[in-house]
Amino acid sequence: MSVPGQVAAGLATARPGSSLQASTRELSTAIGAEAYALCASLYPICRSLTGEGVRETLRRLREVIPLTINEVPSGTQAFDWTVPDEWNIRDAYVLDGDGNRVIDFKASNLHVIGNSAPIDAVISRAELLQHLHTDPTRPDWIPYRHTYYRHSWGFCAPHRLLENLNEPEYRVRIDSRIEPGSLSYGELLLPGSERGEILISTHTCHPSLCNDNLSGIAVAALLARDLAGCDRRFGVRFLFLPATLGPLVWLSRNEELAATIRGGLVLAVCGDAGEPTYVRSRHGRALIDRAIEHVFMHSSPKASIRDFAPTGYDQRQYCSPGFDLPMGGFMRTPNGEYAQYHTSADNLDVVRPEGLGDSWRLIRLAIDILQEDRRYLNLSPKGEPRLGARGLYADAERLGLLWILNFSDGRHTLLDIAERSRVPFWTLHEGAHRLRESGLLREVSESVPG
Ligand code: ZN
């Protein structure tokens, strides 16, 4: 797979913030187009909780970023859960009396319930209907269903198809295998110079559905590629794994790492034309919550913020009481609140390059705040230092220099000052850079608490 329009490596986070914000806006247009192309290339693959579809997806992502693909054997315990047998499928169909495929997996992989057991039988129409899922409220779309933890089988189809199913019996065939194998997930750590990590997690288990969640996969992959080219104070770890069980497996294998996570995001539903939505961490005022709130206030004023609920995406696992990680959720139109959600209409028309690029830009800015939220000390704290004598007078107001000097007492971080002054973080970041160059400010070395 070729991803068009390779974008130059990302911006060093050490650069002054205002130029960073402007450049990120320009980059996001090119990145949006590239993310869309990545969604399109991954769209046909039949993914599930486990199996070759997930592996193929991860292998293709390796053409963009150097992912490690981890394989966790069936039967492995992850807290209260167990990795199931692996599911793979070659073909599936329902044949009428003339041998026509009235339902055809090859036309859409959503036609088969994910993880369906194999079957090859001639059954009555009544029995077929017991195994056929339709949605009368959206009669033209195929609903998305899976049966991960129950050994059963079934098909999904547009409700309108029922009008044509008039024969007394049908041949049904699902050419699938459920046997010991492994759960596959992708992982990439971009190491930092200081202890602590930022975690970005996205789910890989949905078949041909675009906004949920090829959008999250594409945005995460292109964030990883961009950040790989930057100086990093803290490591950034990317996880591409099946929803629910994936985070549980990762957490169970990395309990000691969990304590070093300074903040992170679960990315899903990142590509539609709606406004961004953020779901706070369980903590609610963690650095990531404040960073996103700040980014939204200055760069996406129509975005909305919701409180944590243990009903959302994989924050449920990362924010479970035994971990309580500072992880929030980034979405656009939330899952379940757009009509096409979990149907065949969640296709390449729902995801827009502009939405993908905008999500990438906002998350990139929030990661920058997590990386760059430092604490400084004013080295001339008795009265205001003479800025004019240091050539800083003309830019003092623009860069919030008096705010930085007044509150750089070793206790307030740049984000604290940005929140209090309502001056954008990246403006203060540039201001702090200028004050350090002038010898008026130095960094207080201890890390900011997460
Ligand atoms: Zn979903």
mmCIF file of all heavy atoms in Angstrom, residues 376-378 380 383-408 414 417 421 423-424 426-438 440-441:
data_model
loop_
_atom_site.group_PDB
_atom_site.id
_atom_site.type_symbol
_atom_site.label_atom_id
_atom_site.label_comp_id
_atom_site.label_asym_id
_atom_site.label_seq_id
_atom_site.Cartn_x
_atom_site.Cartn_y
_atom_site.Cartn_z
ATOM 1 N N TYR A 376 8.466 27.062 35.853
ATOM 2 C CA TYR A 376 9.628 27.958 35.740
ATOM 3 C C TYR A 376 9.787 28.793 37.004
ATOM 4 O O TYR A 376 8.865 28.925 37.813
ATOM 5 C CB TYR A 376 9.470 28.894 34.534
ATOM 6 C CG TYR A 376 9.535 28.168 33.205
ATOM 7 C CD1 TYR A 376 8.367 27.854 32.516
ATOM 8 C CD2 TYR A 376 10.749 27.791 32.662
ATOM 9 C CE1 TYR A 376 8.414 27.186 31.307
ATOM 10 C CE2 TYR A 376 10.812 27.115 31.447
ATOM 11 C CZ TYR A 376 9.634 26.815 30.777
ATOM 12 O OH TYR A 376 9.687 26.147 29.577
ATOM 13 N N LEU A 377 10.967 29.388 37.113
ATOM 14 C CA LEU A 377 11.260 30.283 38.238
ATOM 15 C C LEU A 377 11.710 31.632 37.669
ATOM 16 O O LEU A 377 12.637 31.698 36.854
ATOM 17 C CB LEU A 377 12.375 29.676 39.100
ATOM 18 C CG LEU A 377 12.581 30.340 40.458
ATOM 19 C CD1 LEU A 377 11.345 30.169 41.349
ATOM 20 C CD2 LEU A 377 13.811 29.748 41.150
ATOM 21 N N ASN A 378 11.032 32.697 38.106
ATOM 22 C CA ASN A 378 11.408 34.073 37.767
ATOM 23 C C ASN A 378 12.690 34.397 38.531
ATOM 24 O O ASN A 378 12.725 34.362 39.766
ATOM 25 C CB ASN A 378 10.256 35.007 38.172
ATOM 26 C CG ASN A 378 10.570 36.469 37.926
ATOM 27 O OD1 ASN A 378 11.701 36.825 37.603
ATOM 28 N ND2 ASN A 378 9.549 37.309 38.089
ATOM 29 N N SER A 380 14.188 37.258 38.645
ATOM 30 C CA SER A 380 14.224 38.671 39.046
ATOM 31 C C SER A 380 12.868 39.008 39.671
ATOM 32 O O SER A 380 12.097 39.805 39.147
ATOM 33 C CB SER A 380 14.503 39.548 37.819
ATOM 34 O OG SER A 380 14.549 40.908 38.186
ATOM 35 N N GLY A 383 9.787 42.987 42.241
ATOM 36 C CA GLY A 383 9.292 43.981 41.293
ATOM 37 C C GLY A 383 9.396 43.439 39.878
ATOM 38 O O GLY A 383 9.917 42.349 39.643
ATOM 39 N N GLU A 384 8.879 44.225 38.937
ATOM 40 C CA GLU A 384 8.973 43.790 37.542
ATOM 41 C C GLU A 384 10.361 44.076 36.998
ATOM 42 O O GLU A 384 10.868 45.185 37.156
ATOM 43 C CB GLU A 384 7.967 44.553 36.684
ATOM 44 C CG GLU A 384 6.537 44.027 36.790
ATOM 45 C CD GLU A 384 5.568 44.865 35.962
ATOM 46 O OE1 GLU A 384 6.024 45.612 35.074
ATOM 47 O OE2 GLU A 384 4.374 44.783 36.235
ATOM 48 N N PRO A 385 10.971 43.123 36.338
ATOM 49 C CA PRO A 385 12.240 43.431 35.672
ATOM 50 C C PRO A 385 11.985 44.380 34.492
ATOM 51 O O PRO A 385 10.879 44.410 33.953
ATOM 52 C CB PRO A 385 12.739 42.071 35.199
ATOM 53 C CG PRO A 385 11.526 41.224 35.106
ATOM 54 C CD PRO A 385 10.546 41.732 36.117
ATOM 55 N N ARG A 386 12.998 45.140 34.113
ATOM 56 C CA ARG A 386 12.848 46.090 32.994
ATOM 57 C C ARG A 386 12.911 45.326 31.673
ATOM 58 O O ARG A 386 13.988 44.922 31.236
ATOM 59 C CB ARG A 386 13.932 47.154 33.069
ATOM 60 C CG ARG A 386 13.683 48.149 34.206
ATOM 61 C CD ARG A 386 14.786 49.184 34.254
ATOM 62 N NE ARG A 386 14.919 49.906 33.001
ATOM 63 C CZ ARG A 386 16.093 50.340 32.498
ATOM 64 N NH1 ARG A 386 17.210 50.132 33.156
ATOM 65 N NH2 ARG A 386 16.122 50.993 31.346
ATOM 66 N N LEU A 387 11.744 45.144 31.076
ATOM 67 C CA LEU A 387 11.698 44.373 29.827
ATOM 68 C C LEU A 387 12.309 45.154 28.676
ATOM 69 O O LEU A 387 12.962 44.585 27.796
ATOM 70 C CB LEU A 387 10.250 43.987 29.504
ATOM 71 C CG LEU A 387 9.584 43.084 30.550
ATOM 72 C CD1 LEU A 387 8.148 42.793 30.154
ATOM 73 C CD2 LEU A 387 10.360 41.782 30.726
ATOM 74 N N GLY A 388 12.108 46.492 28.683
ATOM 75 C CA GLY A 388 12.646 47.330 27.607
ATOM 76 C C GLY A 388 14.159 47.219 27.507
ATOM 77 O O GLY A 388 14.716 47.177 26.409
ATOM 78 N N ALA A 389 14.796 47.129 28.648
ATOM 79 C CA ALA A 389 16.255 47.051 28.659
ATOM 80 C C ALA A 389 16.753 45.751 28.035
ATOM 81 O O ALA A 389 17.925 45.630 27.672
ATOM 82 C CB ALA A 389 16.761 47.162 30.099
ATOM 83 N N ARG A 390 15.864 44.799 27.936
ATOM 84 C CA ARG A 390 16.245 43.499 27.372
ATOM 85 C C ARG A 390 15.622 43.263 25.988
ATOM 86 O O ARG A 390 15.612 42.150 25.487
ATOM 87 C CB ARG A 390 15.814 42.381 28.331
ATOM 88 C CG ARG A 390 16.547 42.446 29.676
ATOM 89 C CD ARG A 390 15.910 41.512 30.688
ATOM 90 N NE ARG A 390 16.698 41.452 31.916
ATOM 91 C CZ ARG A 390 16.556 42.297 32.943
ATOM 92 N NH1 ARG A 390 15.668 43.279 32.887
ATOM 93 N NH2 ARG A 390 17.304 42.171 34.022
ATOM 94 N N GLY A 391 15.055 44.307 25.421
ATOM 95 C CA GLY A 391 14.453 44.184 24.085
ATOM 96 C C GLY A 391 13.168 43.377 24.068
ATOM 97 O O GLY A 391 12.765 42.855 23.027
ATOM 98 N N LEU A 392 12.491 43.283 25.219
ATOM 99 C CA LEU A 392 11.283 42.463 25.303
ATOM 100 C C LEU A 392 9.999 43.294 25.401
ATOM 101 O O LEU A 392 8.897 42.743 25.390
ATOM 102 C CB LEU A 392 11.365 41.544 26.537
ATOM 103 C CG LEU A 392 12.448 40.466 26.506
ATOM 104 C CD1 LEU A 392 12.593 39.812 27.889
ATOM 105 C CD2 LEU A 392 12.109 39.412 25.461
ATOM 106 N N TYR A 393 10.151 44.614 25.485
ATOM 107 C CA TYR A 393 8.978 45.439 25.779
ATOM 108 C C TYR A 393 7.909 45.311 24.693
ATOM 109 O O TYR A 393 6.724 45.161 24.976
ATOM 110 C CB TYR A 393 9.405 46.902 25.960
ATOM 111 C CG TYR A 393 8.263 47.777 26.402
ATOM 112 C CD1 TYR A 393 7.830 47.762 27.729
ATOM 113 C CD2 TYR A 393 7.603 48.597 25.490
ATOM 114 C CE1 TYR A 393 6.765 48.552 28.135
ATOM 115 C CE2 TYR A 393 6.527 49.378 25.896
ATOM 116 C CZ TYR A 393 6.115 49.354 27.212
ATOM 117 O OH TYR A 393 5.049 50.116 27.608
ATOM 118 N N ALA A 394 8.343 45.375 23.428
ATOM 119 C CA ALA A 394 7.383 45.402 22.318
ATOM 120 C C ALA A 394 6.519 44.147 22.278
ATOM 121 O O ALA A 394 5.355 44.185 21.883
ATOM 122 C CB ALA A 394 8.135 45.565 20.999
ATOM 123 N N ASP A 395 7.075 43.008 22.693
ATOM 124 C CA ASP A 395 6.338 41.737 22.624
ATOM 125 C C ASP A 395 5.736 41.320 23.965
ATOM 126 O O ASP A 395 5.137 40.249 24.064
ATOM 127 C CB ASP A 395 7.281 40.614 22.148
ATOM 128 C CG ASP A 395 7.567 40.734 20.663
ATOM 129 O OD1 ASP A 395 6.709 41.281 19.942
ATOM 130 O OD2 ASP A 395 8.638 40.286 20.236
ATOM 131 N N ALA A 396 5.904 42.160 24.970
ATOM 132 C CA ALA A 396 5.514 41.731 26.314
ATOM 133 C C ALA A 396 4.041 41.358 26.398
ATOM 134 O O ALA A 396 3.666 40.307 26.925
ATOM 135 C CB ALA A 396 5.846 42.837 27.311
ATOM 136 N N GLU A 397 3.184 42.199 25.832
ATOM 137 C CA GLU A 397 1.746 41.929 25.944
ATOM 138 C C GLU A 397 1.358 40.742 25.077
ATOM 139 O O GLU A 397 0.644 39.839 25.506
ATOM 140 C CB GLU A 397 0.968 43.174 25.530
ATOM 141 C CG GLU A 397 -0.510 43.022 25.863
ATOM 142 C CD GLU A 397 -1.284 44.309 25.643
ATOM 143 O OE1 GLU A 397 -0.664 45.386 25.638
ATOM 144 O OE2 GLU A 397 -2.509 44.198 25.466
ATOM 145 N N ARG A 398 1.902 40.752 23.851
ATOM 146 C CA ARG A 398 1.558 39.664 22.915
ATOM 147 C C ARG A 398 1.928 38.299 23.488
ATOM 148 O O ARG A 398 1.214 37.320 23.302
ATOM 149 C CB ARG A 398 2.312 39.896 21.592
ATOM 150 C CG ARG A 398 2.003 38.871 20.516
ATOM 151 C CD ARG A 398 2.698 39.206 19.207
ATOM 152 N NE ARG A 398 4.126 38.978 19.229
ATOM 153 C CZ ARG A 398 4.703 37.778 19.058
ATOM 154 N NH1 ARG A 398 3.954 36.710 18.866
ATOM 155 N NH2 ARG A 398 6.011 37.658 19.082
ATOM 156 N N LEU A 399 3.023 38.224 24.194
ATOM 157 C CA LEU A 399 3.507 36.923 24.678
ATOM 158 C C LEU A 399 3.172 36.661 26.152
ATOM 159 O O LEU A 399 3.623 35.665 26.713
ATOM 160 C CB LEU A 399 5.024 36.814 24.467
ATOM 161 C CG LEU A 399 5.481 36.871 23.000
ATOM 162 C CD1 LEU A 399 6.995 36.789 22.919
ATOM 163 C CD2 LEU A 399 4.843 35.740 22.196
ATOM 164 N N GLY A 400 2.381 37.553 26.745
ATOM 165 C CA GLY A 400 1.967 37.315 28.135
ATOM 166 C C GLY A 400 3.142 37.278 29.103
ATOM 167 O O GLY A 400 3.117 36.549 30.102
ATOM 168 N N LEU A 401 4.167 38.103 28.845
ATOM 169 C CA LEU A 401 5.399 37.992 29.644
ATOM 170 C C LEU A 401 5.167 38.340 31.114
ATOM 171 O O LEU A 401 5.750 37.713 32.010
ATOM 172 C CB LEU A 401 6.507 38.873 29.056
ATOM 173 C CG LEU A 401 6.944 38.544 27.621
ATOM 174 C CD1 LEU A 401 8.187 39.360 27.253
ATOM 175 C CD2 LEU A 401 7.234 37.060 27.437
ATOM 176 N N LEU A 402 4.303 39.323 31.377
ATOM 177 C CA LEU A 402 4.075 39.695 32.785
ATOM 178 C C LEU A 402 3.351 38.581 33.537
ATOM 179 O O LEU A 402 3.599 38.345 34.715
ATOM 180 C CB LEU A 402 3.292 41.012 32.862
ATOM 181 C CG LEU A 402 4.047 42.240 32.311
ATOM 182 C CD1 LEU A 402 3.192 43.493 32.434
ATOM 183 C CD2 LEU A 402 5.387 42.441 33.026
ATOM 184 N N TRP A 403 2.473 37.889 32.858
ATOM 185 C CA TRP A 403 1.810 36.725 33.474
ATOM 186 C C TRP A 403 2.829 35.640 33.814
ATOM 187 O O TRP A 403 2.808 35.057 34.892
ATOM 188 C CB TRP A 403 0.752 36.147 32.525
ATOM 189 C CG TRP A 403 -0.522 36.920 32.483
ATOM 190 C CD1 TRP A 403 -0.909 37.808 31.524
ATOM 191 C CD2 TRP A 403 -1.584 36.875 33.450
ATOM 192 N NE1 TRP A 403 -2.145 38.313 31.823
ATOM 193 C CE2 TRP A 403 -2.588 37.752 33.000
ATOM 194 C CE3 TRP A 403 -1.782 36.170 34.635
ATOM 195 C CZ2 TRP A 403 -3.773 37.954 33.694
ATOM 196 C CZ3 TRP A 403 -2.964 36.363 35.340
ATOM 197 C CH2 TRP A 403 -3.944 37.247 34.876
ATOM 198 N N ILE A 404 3.706 35.386 32.853
ATOM 199 C CA ILE A 404 4.701 34.321 33.081
ATOM 200 C C ILE A 404 5.605 34.703 34.251
ATOM 201 O O ILE A 404 5.850 33.908 35.169
ATOM 202 C CB ILE A 404 5.564 34.080 31.820
ATOM 203 C CG1 ILE A 404 4.675 33.707 30.629
ATOM 204 C CG2 ILE A 404 6.599 32.986 32.071
ATOM 205 C CD1 ILE A 404 5.419 33.711 29.290
ATOM 206 N N LEU A 405 6.091 35.958 34.236
ATOM 207 C CA LEU A 405 7.017 36.388 35.292
ATOM 208 C C LEU A 405 6.333 36.357 36.655
ATOM 209 O O LEU A 405 6.905 35.907 37.652
ATOM 210 C CB LEU A 405 7.542 37.795 34.986
ATOM 211 C CG LEU A 405 8.545 37.855 33.828
ATOM 212 C CD1 LEU A 405 8.756 39.288 33.370
ATOM 213 C CD2 LEU A 405 9.878 37.218 34.241
ATOM 214 N N ASN A 406 5.093 36.834 36.709
ATOM 215 C CA ASN A 406 4.424 36.915 38.007
ATOM 216 C C ASN A 406 4.158 35.540 38.609
ATOM 217 O O ASN A 406 4.313 35.328 39.804
ATOM 218 C CB ASN A 406 3.111 37.701 37.874
ATOM 219 C CG ASN A 406 2.558 38.052 39.251
ATOM 220 O OD1 ASN A 406 2.113 37.176 39.984
ATOM 221 N ND2 ASN A 406 2.632 39.317 39.619
ATOM 222 N N PHE A 407 3.769 34.601 37.766
ATOM 223 C CA PHE A 407 3.368 33.292 38.325
ATOM 224 C C PHE A 407 4.461 32.228 38.236
ATOM 225 O O PHE A 407 4.261 31.109 38.705
ATOM 226 C CB PHE A 407 2.078 32.808 37.649
ATOM 227 C CG PHE A 407 0.872 33.546 38.173
ATOM 228 C CD1 PHE A 407 0.365 34.644 37.507
ATOM 229 C CD2 PHE A 407 0.296 33.178 39.375
ATOM 230 C CE1 PHE A 407 -0.711 35.351 38.014
ATOM 231 C CE2 PHE A 407 -0.790 33.873 39.887
ATOM 232 C CZ PHE A 407 -1.292 34.970 39.202
ATOM 233 N N SER A 408 5.601 32.588 37.677
ATOM 234 C CA SER A 408 6.693 31.603 37.650
ATOM 235 C C SER A 408 7.440 31.658 38.982
ATOM 236 O O SER A 408 8.556 32.153 39.085
ATOM 237 C CB SER A 408 7.618 31.862 36.459
ATOM 238 O OG SER A 408 6.977 31.470 35.274
ATOM 239 N N LEU A 414 3.107 26.221 33.181
ATOM 240 C CA LEU A 414 2.640 27.077 32.075
ATOM 241 C C LEU A 414 1.147 26.913 31.844
ATOM 242 O O LEU A 414 0.455 27.876 31.535
ATOM 243 C CB LEU A 414 3.391 26.731 30.781
ATOM 244 C CG LEU A 414 4.702 27.444 30.483
ATOM 245 C CD1 LEU A 414 5.091 27.176 29.030
ATOM 246 C CD2 LEU A 414 4.618 28.952 30.738
ATOM 247 N N ILE A 417 -0.772 28.887 34.294
ATOM 248 C CA ILE A 417 -0.742 30.315 33.956
ATOM 249 C C ILE A 417 -1.658 30.589 32.755
ATOM 250 O O ILE A 417 -2.363 31.597 32.707
ATOM 251 C CB ILE A 417 0.710 30.778 33.675
ATOM 252 C CG1 ILE A 417 1.603 30.493 34.891
ATOM 253 C CG2 ILE A 417 0.750 32.262 33.323
ATOM 254 C CD1 ILE A 417 3.103 30.692 34.648
ATOM 255 N N SER A 421 -4.653 33.206 32.942
ATOM 256 C CA SER A 421 -4.539 34.437 32.135
ATOM 257 C C SER A 421 -5.437 34.409 30.910
ATOM 258 O O SER A 421 -5.665 35.444 30.288
ATOM 259 C CB SER A 421 -3.097 34.594 31.665
ATOM 260 O OG SER A 421 -2.748 33.524 30.790
ATOM 261 N N VAL A 423 -4.487 33.305 28.232
ATOM 262 C CA VAL A 423 -3.561 33.430 27.095
ATOM 263 C C VAL A 423 -3.277 32.008 26.608
ATOM 264 O O VAL A 423 -3.071 31.111 27.430
ATOM 265 C CB VAL A 423 -2.241 34.109 27.539
ATOM 266 C CG1 VAL A 423 -1.241 34.157 26.379
ATOM 267 C CG2 VAL A 423 -2.520 35.511 28.067
ATOM 268 N N PRO A 424 -3.271 31.781 25.293
ATOM 269 C CA PRO A 424 -3.031 30.411 24.811
ATOM 270 C C PRO A 424 -1.691 29.849 25.299
ATOM 271 O O PRO A 424 -0.698 30.573 25.378
ATOM 272 C CB PRO A 424 -3.034 30.552 23.291
ATOM 273 C CG PRO A 424 -3.817 31.791 23.021
ATOM 274 C CD PRO A 424 -3.560 32.702 24.185
ATOM 275 N N TRP A 426 0.481 27.993 23.869
ATOM 276 C CA TRP A 426 1.632 28.052 22.958
ATOM 277 C C TRP A 426 2.189 29.474 22.869
ATOM 278 O O TRP A 426 3.354 29.656 22.555
ATOM 279 C CB TRP A 426 1.284 27.504 21.576
ATOM 280 C CG TRP A 426 -0.172 27.555 21.282
ATOM 281 C CD1 TRP A 426 -0.839 28.551 20.658
ATOM 282 C CD2 TRP A 426 -1.154 26.576 21.665
ATOM 283 N NE1 TRP A 426 -2.169 28.254 20.611
ATOM 284 C CE2 TRP A 426 -2.401 27.060 21.213
ATOM 285 C CE3 TRP A 426 -1.093 25.347 22.339
ATOM 286 C CZ2 TRP A 426 -3.587 26.364 21.407
ATOM 287 C CZ3 TRP A 426 -2.275 24.657 22.543
ATOM 288 C CH2 TRP A 426 -3.502 25.163 22.075
ATOM 289 N N THR A 427 1.348 30.474 23.168
ATOM 290 C CA THR A 427 1.856 31.855 23.250
ATOM 291 C C THR A 427 2.773 31.981 24.471
ATOM 292 O O THR A 427 3.884 32.532 24.387
ATOM 293 C CB THR A 427 0.677 32.831 23.363
ATOM 294 O OG1 THR A 427 -0.141 32.694 22.198
ATOM 295 C CG2 THR A 427 1.153 34.271 23.470
ATOM 296 N N LEU A 428 2.314 31.461 25.600
ATOM 297 C CA LEU A 428 3.138 31.509 26.810
ATOM 298 C C LEU A 428 4.410 30.673 26.631
ATOM 299 O O LEU A 428 5.465 31.011 27.163
ATOM 300 C CB LEU A 428 2.352 31.000 28.015
ATOM 301 C CG LEU A 428 1.133 31.846 28.434
ATOM 302 C CD1 LEU A 428 0.460 31.221 29.643
ATOM 303 C CD2 LEU A 428 1.532 33.286 28.733
ATOM 304 N N HIS A 429 4.289 29.596 25.894
ATOM 305 C CA HIS A 429 5.447 28.739 25.635
ATOM 306 C C HIS A 429 6.515 29.533 24.889
ATOM 307 O O HIS A 429 7.714 29.481 25.229
ATOM 308 C CB HIS A 429 4.995 27.529 24.819
ATOM 309 C CG HIS A 429 6.057 26.522 24.571
ATOM 310 N ND1 HIS A 429 6.665 26.376 23.349
ATOM 311 C CD2 HIS A 429 6.634 25.612 25.379
ATOM 312 C CE1 HIS A 429 7.562 25.413 23.415
ATOM 313 N NE2 HIS A 429 7.569 24.934 24.639
ATOM 314 N N GLU A 430 6.091 30.314 23.912
ATOM 315 C CA GLU A 430 7.037 31.161 23.178
ATOM 316 C C GLU A 430 7.584 32.255 24.105
ATOM 317 O O GLU A 430 8.791 32.559 24.091
ATOM 318 C CB GLU A 430 6.351 31.788 21.963
ATOM 319 C CG GLU A 430 7.315 32.578 21.085
ATOM 320 C CD GLU A 430 6.634 33.225 19.867
ATOM 321 O OE1 GLU A 430 5.463 32.902 19.586
ATOM 322 O OE2 GLU A 430 7.283 34.061 19.219
ATOM 323 N N GLY A 431 6.686 32.818 24.939
ATOM 324 C CA GLY A 431 7.122 33.848 25.881
ATOM 325 C C GLY A 431 8.158 33.318 26.857
ATOM 326 O O GLY A 431 9.179 33.976 27.128
ATOM 327 N N ALA A 432 7.938 32.119 27.369
ATOM 328 C CA ALA A 432 8.886 31.519 28.319
ATOM 329 C C ALA A 432 10.233 31.290 27.640
ATOM 330 O O ALA A 432 11.295 31.478 28.242
ATOM 331 C CB ALA A 432 8.323 30.205 28.859
ATOM 332 N N HIS A 433 10.172 30.919 26.379
ATOM 333 C CA HIS A 433 11.399 30.715 25.603
ATOM 334 C C HIS A 433 12.190 32.035 25.527
ATOM 335 O O HIS A 433 13.409 32.065 25.761
ATOM 336 C CB HIS A 433 10.998 30.220 24.211
ATOM 337 C CG HIS A 433 12.132 29.994 23.273
ATOM 338 N ND1 HIS A 433 12.990 28.934 23.392
ATOM 339 C CD2 HIS A 433 12.543 30.705 22.190
ATOM 340 C CE1 HIS A 433 13.886 28.996 22.416
ATOM 341 N NE2 HIS A 433 13.641 30.064 21.687
ATOM 342 N N ARG A 434 11.487 33.125 25.243
ATOM 343 C CA ARG A 434 12.150 34.439 25.150
ATOM 344 C C ARG A 434 12.724 34.860 26.504
ATOM 345 O O ARG A 434 13.825 35.401 26.587
ATOM 346 C CB ARG A 434 11.149 35.494 24.649
ATOM 347 C CG ARG A 434 10.631 35.237 23.231
ATOM 348 C CD ARG A 434 11.649 35.642 22.173
ATOM 349 N NE ARG A 434 11.925 37.083 22.237
ATOM 350 C CZ ARG A 434 11.151 38.028 21.710
ATOM 351 N NH1 ARG A 434 10.059 37.667 21.037
ATOM 352 N NH2 ARG A 434 11.460 39.299 21.827
ATOM 353 N N LEU A 435 11.958 34.639 27.566
ATOM 354 C CA LEU A 435 12.426 35.037 28.906
ATOM 355 C C LEU A 435 13.641 34.211 29.333
ATOM 356 O O LEU A 435 14.542 34.719 30.010
ATOM 357 C CB LEU A 435 11.285 34.890 29.920
ATOM 358 C CG LEU A 435 10.150 35.925 29.772
ATOM 359 C CD1 LEU A 435 8.966 35.543 30.650
ATOM 360 C CD2 LEU A 435 10.644 37.330 30.122
ATOM 361 N N ARG A 436 13.659 32.956 28.950
ATOM 362 C CA ARG A 436 14.832 32.123 29.282
ATOM 363 C C ARG A 436 16.058 32.622 28.527
ATOM 364 O O ARG A 436 17.149 32.713 29.082
ATOM 365 C CB ARG A 436 14.558 30.654 28.929
ATOM 366 C CG ARG A 436 13.686 29.961 29.971
ATOM 367 C CD ARG A 436 13.189 28.635 29.483
ATOM 368 N NE ARG A 436 14.269 27.683 29.232
ATOM 369 C CZ ARG A 436 14.134 26.594 28.488
ATOM 370 N NH1 ARG A 436 12.975 26.326 27.920
ATOM 371 N NH2 ARG A 436 15.131 25.773 28.318
ATOM 372 N N GLU A 437 15.859 32.968 27.249
ATOM 373 C CA GLU A 437 16.983 33.486 26.458
ATOM 374 C C GLU A 437 17.542 34.778 27.063
ATOM 375 O O GLU A 437 18.721 35.068 26.939
ATOM 376 C CB GLU A 437 16.529 33.780 25.022
ATOM 377 C CG GLU A 437 16.415 32.538 24.174
ATOM 378 C CD GLU A 437 16.010 32.867 22.733
ATOM 379 O OE1 GLU A 437 15.406 33.947 22.499
ATOM 380 O OE2 GLU A 437 16.291 32.050 21.865
ATOM 381 N N SER A 438 16.658 35.547 27.733
ATOM 382 C CA SER A 438 17.075 36.820 28.334
ATOM 383 C C SER A 438 17.617 36.649 29.744
ATOM 384 O O SER A 438 17.945 37.633 30.400
ATOM 385 C CB SER A 438 15.892 37.782 28.380
ATOM 386 O OG SER A 438 15.417 38.016 27.090
ATOM 387 N N LEU A 440 15.938 35.750 32.383
ATOM 388 C CA LEU A 440 14.979 36.117 33.430
ATOM 389 C C LEU A 440 14.246 34.908 34.012
ATOM 390 O O LEU A 440 13.513 35.039 34.988
ATOM 391 C CB LEU A 440 13.942 37.099 32.863
ATOM 392 C CG LEU A 440 14.460 38.517 32.606
ATOM 393 C CD1 LEU A 440 13.405 39.348 31.885
ATOM 394 C CD2 LEU A 440 14.839 39.197 33.937
ATOM 395 N N LEU A 441 14.429 33.771 33.398
ATOM 396 C CA LEU A 441 13.621 32.605 33.777
ATOM 397 C C LEU A 441 14.491 31.362 33.689
ATOM 398 O O LEU A 441 15.331 31.255 32.795
ATOM 399 C CB LEU A 441 12.476 32.484 32.754
ATOM 400 C CG LEU A 441 11.162 31.835 33.134
ATOM 401 C CD1 LEU A 441 10.480 32.640 34.242
ATOM 402 C CD2 LEU A 441 10.242 31.763 31.912
#
